[in-house]
Coordinates of all heavy atoms in Angstrom, one line a residue:
M117 N -12.1 -15.7 24.7 CA -11.2 -14.8 23.9 C -11.7 -13.4 24.0 O -12.9 -13.1 24.0 CB -11.3 -15.3 22.4 CG -10.3 -14.5 21.5 SD -10.6 -14.8 19.8 CE -9.5 -16.1 19.4
A118 N -10.8 -12.5 24.2 CA -11.1 -11.1 24.4 C -11.5 -10.4 23.1 O -11.0 -10.8 22.1 CB -9.9 -10.3 25.0
R119 N -12.4 -9.5 23.2 CA -12.9 -8.8 22.0 C -12.4 -7.4 22.1 O -12.4 -6.8 23.2 CB -14.4 -8.8 21.9 CG -14.9 -10.2 21.7 CD -16.4 -10.2 21.4 NE -16.9 -11.5 21.3 CZ -17.6 -11.9 20.3 NH1 -18.0 -11.1 19.4 NH2 -18.0 -13.2 20.2
Y120 N -11.9 -6.9 21.0 CA -11.4 -5.6 20.9 C -12.3 -4.7 20.1 O -12.7 -5.2 19.0 CB -10.0 -5.6 20.3 CG -9.0 -6.4 21.2 CD1 -8.7 -7.7 20.8 CD2 -8.4 -5.8 22.3 CE1 -7.8 -8.4 21.6 CE2 -7.5 -6.6 23.1 CZ -7.2 -7.8 22.7 OH -6.4 -8.6 23.5
P121 N -12.5 -3.5 20.5 CA -13.4 -2.6 19.7 C -12.7 -2.3 18.4 O -11.5 -2.1 18.3 CB -13.6 -1.4 20.6 CG -12.5 -1.4 21.5 CD -12.1 -2.8 21.7
K122 N -13.5 -2.2 17.3 CA -13.0 -1.8 16.0 C -12.6 -0.3 16.1 O -13.3 0.5 16.6 CB -14.0 -2.1 15.0 CG -13.5 -1.9 13.6 CD -14.5 -2.3 12.6 CE -14.0 -2.1 11.2 NZ -14.9 -2.5 10.2
R123 N -11.4 0.0 15.6 CA -10.9 1.4 15.6 C -10.2 1.7 14.4 O -9.7 0.8 13.7 CB -10.1 1.7 16.8 CG -8.8 0.9 16.9 CD -7.9 1.3 18.1 NE -6.7 0.5 18.1 CZ -5.6 0.8 17.6 NH1 -5.5 2.0 16.9 NH2 -4.5 0.1 17.7
T124 N -10.1 2.9 14.0 CA -9.3 3.4 12.9 C -7.8 3.3 13.3 O -7.5 3.7 14.4 CB -9.7 4.8 12.5 OG1 -11.1 4.8 12.3 CG2 -9.0 5.3 11.3
L125 N -7.0 2.9 12.4 CA -5.6 2.8 12.7 C -5.0 4.2 13.0 O -4.4 4.4 14.1 CB -4.8 2.2 11.5 CG -3.3 2.1 11.7 CD1 -3.0 1.2 12.8 CD2 -2.6 1.6 10.4
I126 N -5.2 5.2 12.1 CA -4.7 6.5 12.4 C -5.8 7.5 12.1 O -6.0 7.9 11.0 CB -3.5 6.8 11.5 CG1 -2.4 5.8 11.7 CG2 -2.9 8.2 11.8 CD1 -1.3 5.9 10.7
P127 N -6.5 7.9 13.1 CA -7.6 8.9 12.9 C -6.9 10.2 12.6 O -5.9 10.6 13.1 CB -8.4 8.9 14.2 CG -7.4 8.4 15.2 CD -6.5 7.5 14.5
G128 N -7.5 10.9 11.6 CA -6.9 12.2 11.3 C -7.8 13.0 10.3 O -8.8 12.6 9.9
S129 N -7.3 14.2 10.0 CA -8.0 15.0 9.1 C -7.2 15.4 7.9 O -7.4 16.5 7.3 CB -8.5 16.3 9.8 OG -7.4 17.0 10.3
G130 N -6.2 14.6 7.6 CA -5.3 14.8 6.4 C -6.0 14.7 5.1 O -7.2 14.3 5.1
P131 N -5.3 14.8 4.0 CA -5.9 14.7 2.7 C -6.5 13.4 2.4 O -7.5 13.2 1.7 CB -4.8 15.2 1.7 CG -3.6 15.0 2.5 CD -3.9 15.2 3.9
L132 N -5.8 12.3 2.9 CA -6.3 11.0 2.6 C -7.5 10.6 3.4 O -8.3 9.6 3.0 CB -5.2 9.9 2.8 CG -4.1 10.0 1.8 CD1 -3.0 8.9 2.1 CD2 -4.6 9.8 0.4
A133 N -7.8 11.3 4.5 CA -9.0 11.0 5.3 C -10.3 11.3 4.6 O -11.3 10.7 4.9 CB -8.9 11.8 6.6
R134 N -10.2 12.1 3.6 CA -11.4 12.5 2.9 C -11.7 11.6 1.6 O -12.7 11.7 1.0 CB -11.4 14.0 2.5 CG -11.4 14.9 3.6 CD -11.3 16.3 3.2 NE -9.9 16.6 2.7 CZ -9.1 17.5 3.3 NH1 -9.5 18.2 4.2 NH2 -7.9 17.6 2.8
V135 N -10.7 10.8 1.3 CA -10.9 9.9 0.1 C -11.5 8.6 0.5 O -11.0 7.9 1.4 CB -9.5 9.7 -0.5 CG1 -9.6 8.8 -1.8 CG2 -8.8 11.0 -0.9
P136 N -12.6 8.3 -0.2 CA -13.3 7.0 0.2 C -12.4 5.8 -0.1 O -11.6 5.8 -1.1 CB -14.5 7.0 -0.7 CG -14.7 8.4 -1.2 CD -13.3 9.0 -1.2
A137 N -12.4 4.8 0.8 CA -11.6 3.6 0.7 C -11.8 2.9 -0.6 O -10.8 2.5 -1.2 CB -11.8 2.7 1.9
P138 N -13.0 2.8 -1.2 CA -13.1 2.1 -2.5 C -12.4 2.8 -3.6 O -11.9 2.1 -4.5 CB -14.6 2.0 -2.7 CG -15.2 2.1 -1.3 CD -14.3 3.0 -0.6
V139 N -12.3 4.1 -3.6 CA -11.6 4.9 -4.6 C -10.1 4.6 -4.5 O -9.5 4.3 -5.6 CB -11.9 6.4 -4.5 CG1 -11.0 7.2 -5.4 CG2 -13.4 6.6 -4.7
V140 N -9.6 4.5 -3.3 CA -8.2 4.3 -3.2 C -7.9 2.8 -3.6 O -6.9 2.6 -4.3 CB -7.7 4.4 -1.7 CG1 -6.3 4.0 -1.5 CG2 -7.9 5.9 -1.3
F141 N -8.7 1.9 -3.3 CA -8.5 0.5 -3.7 C -8.5 0.4 -5.2 O -7.7 -0.3 -5.8 CB -9.6 -0.4 -3.1 CG -9.5 -1.8 -3.6 CD1 -8.6 -2.7 -3.1 CD2 -10.4 -2.3 -4.5 CE1 -8.5 -4.0 -3.5 CE2 -10.4 -3.6 -5.0 CZ -9.4 -4.4 -4.5
L142 N -9.5 1.0 -5.8 CA -9.6 0.9 -7.3 C -8.4 1.6 -8.0 O -7.9 1.2 -9.0 CB -10.9 1.6 -7.8 CG -12.1 0.7 -7.4 CD1 -13.4 1.5 -7.8 CD2 -12.1 -0.6 -8.1
L143 N -7.9 2.7 -7.4 CA -6.7 3.4 -8.0 C -5.5 2.5 -7.9 O -4.7 2.4 -8.8 CB -6.5 4.7 -7.2 CG -5.3 5.5 -7.7 CD1 -5.4 5.9 -9.1 CD2 -5.0 6.7 -6.8
V144 N -5.3 1.9 -6.7 CA -4.1 1.0 -6.5 C -4.3 -0.2 -7.5 O -3.3 -0.6 -8.1 CB -4.0 0.5 -5.1 CG1 -3.1 -0.6 -4.9 CG2 -3.6 1.7 -4.2
L145 N -5.5 -0.8 -7.6 CA -5.7 -1.9 -8.5 C -5.4 -1.5 -9.9 O -4.8 -2.3 -10.7 CB -7.1 -2.4 -8.3 CG -7.5 -3.7 -9.0 CD1 -6.7 -4.8 -8.5 CD2 -9.0 -4.0 -8.9
A146 N -5.8 -0.3 -10.3 CA -5.6 0.1 -11.7 C -4.1 0.4 -12.0 O -3.6 0.0 -13.0 CB -6.4 1.4 -12.0
L147 N -3.4 1.0 -11.0 CA -2.0 1.2 -11.2 C -1.2 -0.1 -11.3 O -0.4 -0.3 -12.2 CB -1.4 2.0 -10.1 CG -1.4 3.5 -10.2 CD1 -0.9 4.1 -8.9 CD2 -0.6 4.0 -11.3
F148 N -1.6 -1.1 -10.4 CA -0.9 -2.4 -10.5 C -1.2 -3.1 -11.8 O -0.3 -3.6 -12.4 CB -1.3 -3.2 -9.3 CG -0.6 -4.5 -9.2 CD1 0.7 -4.6 -8.7 CD2 -1.2 -5.7 -9.6 CE1 1.3 -5.8 -8.7 CE2 -0.6 -6.9 -9.6 CZ 0.7 -7.0 -9.1
G149 N -2.5 -3.1 -12.1 CA -2.9 -3.8 -13.3 C -2.3 -3.3 -14.6 O -1.8 -4.0 -15.4
L150 N -2.3 -1.9 -14.7 CA -1.6 -1.3 -15.9 C -0.1 -1.6 -15.9 O 0.4 -1.8 -17.0 CB -1.9 0.2 -15.9 CG -3.3 0.6 -16.4 CD1 -3.5 2.1 -16.2 CD2 -3.3 0.3 -17.9
G151 N 0.5 -1.5 -14.7 CA 1.9 -1.7 -14.7 C 2.3 -3.1 -15.1 O 3.3 -3.3 -15.9
V152 N 1.6 -4.1 -14.7 CA 1.8 -5.5 -15.1 C 1.5 -5.7 -16.6 O 2.2 -6.4 -17.3 CB 1.1 -6.5 -14.2 CG1 1.2 -7.9 -14.7 CG2 1.6 -6.4 -12.8
W153 N 0.4 -5.1 -17.0 CA -0.1 -5.3 -18.4 C 0.8 -4.6 -19.4 O 1.1 -5.2 -20.4 CB -1.5 -4.9 -18.5 CG -2.1 -5.1 -19.9 CD1 -2.4 -6.3 -20.5 CD2 -2.6 -4.1 -20.8 NE1 -2.9 -6.1 -21.7 CE2 -3.1 -4.7 -21.9 CE3 -2.6 -2.7 -20.7 CZ2 -3.6 -4.0 -23.0 CZ3 -3.2 -2.0 -21.8 CH2 -3.6 -2.7 -22.9
L154 N 1.2 -3.4 -19.1 CA 2.0 -2.7 -20.1 C 3.5 -3.2 -20.1 O 4.1 -3.1 -21.2 CB 2.0 -1.2 -19.7 CG 0.7 -0.4 -19.9 CD1 0.8 1.0 -19.4 CD2 0.3 -0.4 -21.4
Q155 N 4.0 -3.6 -19.0 CA 5.3 -4.1 -18.9 C 6.3 -3.0 -19.4 O 6.0 -1.9 -19.5 CB 5.5 -5.4 -19.5 CG 4.7 -6.5 -18.9 CD 5.0 -7.8 -19.4 OE1 5.7 -8.0 -20.4 NE2 4.5 -8.9 -18.7
G156 N 7.5 -3.4 -19.6 CA 8.6 -2.5 -20.1 C 8.8 -1.3 -19.1 O 8.5 -1.4 -17.9
T157 N 9.4 -0.3 -19.6 CA 9.7 0.9 -18.8 C 8.5 1.6 -18.2 O 8.5 1.9 -17.0 CB 10.5 1.9 -19.6 OG1 11.6 1.2 -20.2 CG2 11.0 3.0 -18.8
V158 N 7.5 1.7 -19.0 CA 6.2 2.4 -18.5 C 5.6 1.6 -17.4 O 5.2 2.1 -16.4 CB 5.2 2.6 -19.7 CG1 3.9 3.1 -19.2 CG2 5.8 3.5 -20.8
G159 N 5.5 0.3 -17.5 CA 5.0 -0.6 -16.5 C 5.8 -0.5 -15.2 O 5.2 -0.4 -14.1
A160 N 7.1 -0.5 -15.4 CA 8.0 -0.4 -14.2 C 7.8 0.9 -13.5 O 7.9 1.0 -12.3 CB 9.4 -0.7 -14.6
L161 N 7.7 2.0 -14.3 CA 7.5 3.3 -13.7 C 6.1 3.4 -12.9 O 6.1 3.9 -11.8 CB 7.5 4.4 -14.8 CG 8.9 4.7 -15.3 CD1 8.7 5.7 -16.5 CD2 9.8 5.3 -14.2
L162 N 5.1 2.8 -13.5 CA 3.8 2.8 -12.7 C 3.9 2.0 -11.4 O 3.4 2.4 -10.4 CB 2.7 2.2 -13.6 CG 2.2 3.1 -14.8 CD1 1.3 2.3 -15.7 CD2 1.6 4.3 -14.3
L163 N 4.6 0.8 -11.5 CA 4.7 0.0 -10.3 C 5.7 0.7 -9.3 O 5.5 0.6 -8.1 CB 5.3 -1.4 -10.7 CG 4.2 -2.2 -11.4 CD1 4.9 -3.5 -12.0 CD2 3.1 -2.6 -10.6
G164 N 6.7 1.4 -9.9 CA 7.5 2.2 -9.0 C 6.8 3.3 -8.3 O 7.1 3.6 -7.1
V165 N 5.9 4.0 -8.9 CA 5.1 5.0 -8.3 C 4.3 4.4 -7.2 O 4.1 4.9 -6.1 CB 4.2 5.7 -9.3 CG1 3.1 6.5 -8.6 CG2 5.0 6.6 -10.2
L166 N 3.7 3.2 -7.5 CA 2.9 2.5 -6.4 C 3.8 2.1 -5.3 O 3.4 2.3 -4.1 CB 2.2 1.3 -7.1 CG 1.2 0.6 -6.3 CD1 0.1 1.5 -5.8 CD2 0.6 -0.6 -7.0
A167 N 5.0 1.6 -5.5 CA 5.9 1.2 -4.5 C 6.4 2.4 -3.6 O 6.5 2.3 -2.4 CB 7.1 0.5 -5.1
L168 N 6.6 3.5 -4.3 CA 6.9 4.8 -3.6 C 5.8 5.2 -2.6 O 6.1 5.6 -1.5 CB 7.3 5.9 -4.6 CG 7.8 7.2 -4.0 CD1 9.1 6.9 -3.3 CD2 8.0 8.2 -5.1
G169 N 4.6 5.1 -3.1 CA 3.4 5.4 -2.3 C 3.3 4.5 -1.1 O 3.1 4.9 0.1
V170 N 3.5 3.2 -1.3 CA 3.5 2.2 -0.2 C 4.6 2.5 0.8 O 4.4 2.5 2.0 CB 3.6 0.8 -0.8 CG1 3.8 -0.2 0.4 CG2 2.3 0.5 -1.5
A171 N 5.8 2.8 0.3 CA 6.9 3.1 1.2 C 6.7 4.4 2.0 O 7.0 4.4 3.2 CB 8.2 3.2 0.3
T172 N 6.1 5.4 1.4 CA 5.8 6.6 2.1 C 4.8 6.4 3.2 O 5.0 6.8 4.3 CB 5.3 7.7 1.1 OG1 6.3 7.9 0.1 CG2 5.0 9.0 1.8
M173 N 3.8 5.6 2.9 CA 2.7 5.4 3.9 C 3.3 4.5 5.0 O 3.0 4.7 6.2 CB 1.5 4.7 3.3 CG 0.9 5.6 2.3 SD -0.9 5.9 2.3 CE -1.6 5.1 3.6
L174 N 4.2 3.6 4.7 CA 4.8 2.7 5.7 C 5.7 3.6 6.6 O 5.7 3.4 7.8 CB 5.7 1.6 5.0 CG 6.4 0.7 5.9 CD1 5.4 -0.1 6.8 CD2 7.2 -0.3 5.1
A175 N 6.5 4.5 6.0 CA 7.4 5.3 6.8 C 6.6 6.2 7.8 O 6.9 6.4 8.9 CB 8.2 6.2 5.9
V176 N 5.4 6.7 7.3 CA 4.6 7.6 8.1 C 3.9 6.9 9.3 O 3.8 7.4 10.4 CB 3.6 8.4 7.2 CG1 2.6 9.1 8.1 CG2 4.3 9.3 6.3
T177 N 3.5 5.7 9.0 CA 2.8 4.9 10.0 C 3.6 4.0 10.8 O 3.1 3.3 11.7 CB 1.6 4.1 9.3 OG1 2.2 3.2 8.4 CG2 0.6 5.0 8.6
W178 N 4.9 3.9 10.6 CA 5.8 2.9 11.2 C 5.7 3.0 12.7 O 5.6 1.9 13.4 CB 7.2 3.2 10.8 CG 8.2 2.2 11.2 CD1 9.0 2.2 12.4 CD2 8.5 1.0 10.6 NE1 9.8 1.1 12.4 CE2 9.5 0.3 11.4 CE3 8.1 0.4 9.4 CZ2 10.1 -0.9 11.0 CZ3 8.6 -0.9 9.1 CH2 9.6 -1.5 9.9
P179 N 5.7 4.1 13.4 CA 5.7 4.1 14.9 C 4.4 3.6 15.5 O 4.3 3.1 16.6 CB 5.9 5.6 15.3 CG 6.3 6.3 14.1 CD 5.9 5.5 12.9
L180 N 3.3 3.6 14.7 CA 2.0 3.2 15.2 C 1.7 1.7 14.9 O 0.7 1.2 15.4 CB 0.9 4.0 14.5 CG 1.1 5.5 14.8 CD1 0.1 6.3 13.9 CD2 0.9 5.9 16.2
L181 N 2.5 1.0 14.1 CA 2.3 -0.3 13.7 C 2.9 -1.3 14.7 O 4.0 -1.1 15.3 CB 2.8 -0.6 12.3 CG 2.2 0.2 11.2 CD1 3.0 0.0 9.9 CD2 0.8 -0.1 11.0
T182 N 2.3 -2.5 14.8 CA 2.8 -3.6 15.6 C 4.0 -4.2 14.8 O 4.0 -4.1 13.6 CB 1.8 -4.6 15.9 OG1 1.3 -5.2 14.7 CG2 0.6 -4.0 16.7
P183 N 4.9 -4.9 15.4 CA 5.9 -5.6 14.7 C 5.4 -6.5 13.6 O 6.0 -6.6 12.5 CB 6.7 -6.3 15.8 CG 6.5 -5.5 17.0 CD 5.1 -5.0 16.9
S184 N 4.4 -7.2 13.9 CA 3.9 -8.1 12.8 C 3.3 -7.4 11.6 O 3.4 -7.8 10.5 CB 2.8 -9.1 13.4 OG 1.7 -8.4 13.9
A185 N 2.6 -6.3 11.9 CA 2.1 -5.4 10.8 C 3.2 -4.8 10.0 O 3.1 -4.7 8.8 CB 1.2 -4.4 11.4
R186 N 4.3 -4.4 10.7 CA 5.4 -3.9 10.0 C 6.0 -4.9 9.0 O 6.3 -4.6 7.9 CB 6.5 -3.4 11.0 CG 6.2 -2.2 11.8 CD 7.2 -2.0 12.8 NE 6.9 -0.9 13.7 CZ 7.5 -0.5 14.8 NH1 8.6 -1.2 15.1 NH2 7.1 0.5 15.5
G187 N 6.2 -6.1 9.5 CA 6.7 -7.2 8.7 C 5.9 -7.5 7.5 O 6.4 -7.7 6.4
L188 N 4.6 -7.6 7.7 CA 3.7 -7.9 6.6 C 3.8 -6.8 5.5 O 3.8 -7.0 4.3 CB 2.3 -8.0 7.1 CG 1.2 -8.4 6.0 CD1 1.6 -9.7 5.3 CD2 -0.1 -8.4 6.6
R189 N 3.8 -5.5 6.0 CA 3.9 -4.4 5.0 C 5.2 -4.4 4.3 O 5.3 -4.0 3.1 CB 3.6 -3.1 5.7 CG 2.1 -2.9 6.0 CD 1.9 -1.8 7.0 NE 0.4 -1.5 7.2 CZ -0.4 -2.2 7.9 NH1 0.0 -3.3 8.5 NH2 -1.7 -1.9 8.0
L190 N 6.3 -4.8 5.0 CA 7.6 -4.9 4.3 C 7.6 -6.0 3.3 O 8.2 -5.8 2.2 CB 8.7 -5.1 5.4 CG 9.1 -3.9 6.2 CD1 10.1 -4.3 7.3 CD2 9.7 -2.8 5.3
V191 N 7.0 -7.1 3.6 CA 6.9 -8.2 2.6 C 6.1 -7.7 1.4 O 6.5 -7.9 0.2 CB 6.2 -9.4 3.2 CG1 5.8 -10.4 2.2 CG2 7.1 -10.0 4.2
V192 N 5.0 -7.0 1.5 CA 4.2 -6.5 0.4 C 5.0 -5.5 -0.4 O 5.0 -5.6 -1.6 CB 2.9 -5.8 0.9 CG1 2.2 -5.0 -0.2 CG2 2.0 -6.8 1.5
L193 N 5.8 -4.6 0.3 CA 6.6 -3.7 -0.4 C 7.7 -4.4 -1.2 O 8.0 -4.1 -2.4 CB 7.2 -2.7 0.5 CG 8.2 -1.6 0.0 CD1 7.4 -0.8 -1.1 CD2 8.7 -0.7 1.0
G194 N 8.3 -5.4 -0.6 CA 9.3 -6.2 -1.3 C 8.8 -6.9 -2.5 O 9.5 -6.9 -3.6
L195 N 7.6 -7.5 -2.4 CA 7.0 -8.2 -3.6 C 6.7 -7.2 -4.7 O 6.9 -7.5 -5.9 CB 5.7 -8.9 -3.1 CG 5.9 -10.2 -2.3 CD1 4.6 -10.7 -1.8 CD2 6.6 -11.2 -3.2
L196 N 6.2 -6.0 -4.3 CA 5.9 -5.0 -5.3 C 7.2 -4.5 -6.0 O 7.2 -4.4 -7.3 CB 5.2 -3.8 -4.6 CG 4.7 -2.7 -5.6 CD1 3.8 -3.3 -6.6 CD2 4.0 -1.6 -4.7
V197 N 8.3 -4.4 -5.3 CA 9.5 -4.0 -5.9 C 10.0 -5.1 -6.9 O 10.5 -4.8 -8.0 CB 10.6 -3.6 -4.9 CG1 12.0 -3.5 -5.5 CG2 10.2 -2.3 -4.2
L198 N 9.9 -6.4 -6.4 CA 10.3 -7.5 -7.2 C 9.5 -7.6 -8.5 O 10.1 -7.8 -9.6 CB 10.2 -8.8 -6.5 CG 11.3 -9.1 -5.4 CD1 11.0 -10.3 -4.7 CD2 12.7 -9.2 -6.1
I199 N 8.2 -7.3 -8.4 CA 7.4 -7.3 -9.6 C 7.8 -6.2 -10.6 O 7.8 -6.4 -11.8 CB 5.9 -7.3 -9.2 CG1 5.5 -8.6 -8.5 CG2 5.0 -7.1 -10.5 CD1 4.2 -8.5 -7.8
A200 N 8.0 -5.0 -10.0 CA 8.4 -3.9 -10.8 C 9.7 -4.2 -11.6 O 9.9 -3.8 -12.8 CB 8.6 -2.6 -10.0
V201 N 10.7 -4.8 -10.9 CA 11.9 -5.1 -11.6 C 11.7 -6.2 -12.6 O 12.4 -6.2 -13.7 CB 13.0 -5.6 -10.5 CG1 14.2 -6.2 -11.1 CG2 13.3 -4.4 -9.6
S202 N 10.8 -7.1 -12.4 CA 10.6 -8.2 -13.3 C 9.9 -7.8 -14.6 O 10.0 -8.5 -15.6 CB 9.9 -9.4 -12.7 OG 8.5 -9.0 -12.5
V203 N 9.2 -6.7 -14.6 CA 8.5 -6.3 -15.8 C 9.3 -5.5 -16.8 O 8.9 -5.2 -17.9 CB 7.1 -5.6 -15.5 CG1 6.2 -6.4 -14.7 CG2 7.4 -4.2 -14.9
V204 N 10.5 -5.1 -16.4 CA 11.3 -4.3 -17.3 C 11.8 -5.1 -18.4 O 12.1 -6.2 -18.4 CB 12.6 -3.8 -16.5 CG1 13.5 -3.1 -17.4 CG2 12.1 -2.8 -15.4

């Protein structure tokens, strides 16, 4: 089996390149957890903000992703939107 060197998906010097990955993970986890816990309009808005961020990142990285990675990210985005709609 061929081995591929580990590489960064999109190397860059943008604003997100300086944010540590654990901080981003905890922020996403907090937004999702609060959105599900609060429910109602506020919860749906928090989950909507998260879905908007995911959609933006998907749109920006779309040309660089493989078809399977695109599909997986679309599934995640769809599930997030379904959860946001269900908490209203």
Side-chain angles (χ1 to χ4, degrees):
M117 185 191 267
R119 293 186 184 230
Y120 299 98
K122 188 174 180 180
R123 65 179 176 88
T124 304
L125 179 63
I126 303 173
S129 59
L132 290 180
R134 292 179 287 240
V135 180
V139 171
V140 174
F141 175 76
L142 290 175
L143 178 64
V144 168
L145 187 64
L147 272 176
F148 182 80
L150 278 173
V152 171
W153 183 63
L154 292 174
Q155 296 190 349
T157 305
V158 175
L161 285 173
L162 289 173
L163 292 170
V165 166
L166 191 57
L168 186 62
V170 169
T172 302
M173 299 229 3
L174 179 60
V176 169
T177 59
W178 189 266
L180 302 170
L181 297 173
T182 63
S184 61
R186 290 176 184 168
L188 183 60
R189 283 165 174 80
L190 284 173
V191 168
V192 169
L193 180 59
L195 286 172
L196 186 55
V197 169
L198 285 174
I199 293 169
V201 169
S202 72
V203 300
V204 173

